[in-house]
Amino acid sequence: MNWIQWLIGPQLIGMVFLLVGFIQKKFPPKKINNLYGYRSPAAQKNQQTWDEANRYSAIRMIKTGAFLVLAGLVITLLLQVIPMPAKIKIAIFFLVIIASAMGSAISMMTATERHLEKTFDDKQE
């Protein structure tokens, strides 16, 4: 493990989430589209759900990104100080990166969909 792990661990995924979250919060998509914004069938139901889904998902991305940056730094530090063979450390490191990326994306999407379900009546078009 070397200085590269301090740059490309879960903290890098966190930085991407932070960047995308801040961009989406500062420049939310104005109209429903298939290129930019939080795009799910529930979000694209109407302009009101679109606006709320993009507002909420941006906030979730920022919070998730901050958590991943901190967690990534802690995990990287632990992998530096815990004695184990280098091959095992590298395997754990890459598994953590993959799990943090997938888990964070799934968590953000699930939370946003639940928020939309709670916020909007199912009968609303």
Side-chain angles (χ1 to χ4, degrees):
M1 303 283 274
N2 54 32
W3 65 272
I4 286 225
Q5 278 94 13
W6 288 100
L7 297 176
I8 62 164
Q11 57 273 26
L12 179 62
I13 306 289
M15 293 302 293
V16 170
F17 266 70
L18 281 170
L19 179 65
V20 171
F22 280 122
I23 289 171
Q24 188 170 326
K25 187 171 180 170
K26 179 87 172 149
F27 305 103
K30 303 289 184 226
K31 295 182 180 178
I32 299 171
N33 68 79
N34 288 321
L35 296 174
Y36 174 64
Y38 181 83
R39 302 173 310 273
S40 75
Q44 294 178 321
K45 197 173 201 177
N46 59 48
Q47 190 63 44
Q48 189 178 10
T49 58
W50 175 257
D51 293 340
E52 182 60 21
N54 282 283
R55 183 198 68 76
Y56 185 83
S57 66
I59 292 168
R60 285 294 296 207
M61 276 192 273
I62 292 167
K63 289 179 180 179
T64 301
F67 172 78
L68 284 175
V69 168
L70 293 174
L73 293 173
V74 169
I75 289 167
T76 302
L77 177 65
L78 288 174
L79 287 174
Q80 294 281 329
V81 298
I82 295 174
M84 66 178 75
K87 286 184 180 182
I88 293 175
K89 282 186 182 186
I90 291 169
I92 290 171
F93 188 73
F94 283 108
L95 285 173
V96 168
I97 291 171
I98 292 167
S100 65
M102 291 177 64
S104 298
I106 290 168
S107 170
M108 190 264 311
M109 291 173 5
T110 303
T112 302
E113 292 299 312
R114 283 187 185 146
H115 175 73
L116 290 175
E117 285 176 14
K118 286 192 304 187
T119 305
F120 296 100
D121 187 352
D122 196 27
K123 297 174 189 164
Q124 185 181 27
E125 286 297 321

